[in-house]
Amino acid sequence: MRLSRTVSLVFLGLALGVPAAQAATHLGVPASDHVMLVMGDPEGSPCSLPARHLRRLFPDGTLDDKPFRAPRGKVFIATDVQWEAFGPDLQVGSVLRLRMGLQANNLRVPVFESSGIEVRTEAPMGRYGTAESLTAGFVIAPSAILCAELVQATFDEVSNPSLGLILVQGYLAESR
């Protein structure tokens, strides 16, 4: 059913003279406005340590070499966040959270804190992960970059967790 609607929308768009790339997706935005962000390298990050910046992953598999910023005249609306953390000595009962903030003009303002991962049992290779859909989402203007950091909600001296992966999905919209 979903495939036939998508195909119908593409054919309708072609019949009306609208390029297929501009046909609206299931979110009602052109496919070119869907955005996937992945964790950037810590070296040269504009985020203050230990936070990490995010870079855009394009549909062809290439990765932007700069921290993601929404294009001028648009905003990025984040809708989903997936992340994982790892550590060889994570203690059962520890809680890990992902915190993200907008950084602009040497100031970082928090916009998201995950519900957290509780370390319950030994995971393969010490990796724990989760995915969260954001009901309201959050908006990022062209003047800000998104920074992410791992926060240990419970403290123990043995653990030294690290971020393994961050994926942030969303779309671009006209700023008004």
Side-chain angles (χ1 to χ4, degrees):
M1 182 74 143
R2 186 176 286 176
L3 177 61
S4 65
R5 281 190 209 154
T6 304
V7 171
S8 298
L9 284 174
V10 170
F11 284 126
L12 176 63
L14 291 173
L16 296 173
V18 177
Q22 297 303 313
T25 65
H26 65 291
L27 292 178
V29 298
S32 60
D33 284 344
H34 282 260
V35 175
M36 168 76 78
L37 303 178
V38 298
M39 185 169 61
D41 299 323
E43 316 303 314
S45 176
C47 299
S48 44
L49 293 176
R52 307 280 291 272
H53 67 279
L54 299 165
R55 301 187 308 175
R56 186 171 186 178
L57 176 65
F58 293 100
D60 65 0
T62 58
L63 190 60
D64 197 342
D65 59 350
K66 302 179 299 287
F68 174 77
R69 288 186 188 268
R72 181 171 291 152
K74 297 201 175 214
V75 294
F76 172 67
I77 301 170
T79 59
D80 298 278
V81 177
Q82 300 168 42
W83 64 281
E84 75 172 18
F86 66 94
D89 299 315
L90 294 176
Q91 301 296 310
V92 172
S94 294
V95 176
L96 306 173
R97 295 183 194 278
L98 179 69
R99 180 178 294 155
M100 290 194 282
L102 299 181
Q103 184 155 333
N105 303 321
N106 296 322
L107 178 66
R108 187 173 339 141
V109 179
V111 293
F112 171 81
E113 185 156 331
S114 70
S115 56
I117 300 173
E118 181 179 354
V119 177
R120 295 185 182 195
T121 59
E122 190 61 38
M125 298 184 294
R127 291 189 174 275
Y128 300 85
T130 190
E132 302 187 44
S133 292
L134 311 178
T135 302
F138 54 88
V139 179
I140 304 170
S143 60
I145 61 169
L146 185 61
C147 297
E149 65 182 309
L150 184 63
V151 178
Q152 205 167 345
T154 54
F155 182 76
D156 64 65
E157 295 182 21
V158 179
S159 298
N160 188 15
S162 299
L163 280 169
L165 172 73
I166 303 171
L167 299 174
V168 177
Q169 296 165 300
Y171 59 92
L172 297 171
E174 298 295 323
S175 62
R176 298 184 193 243

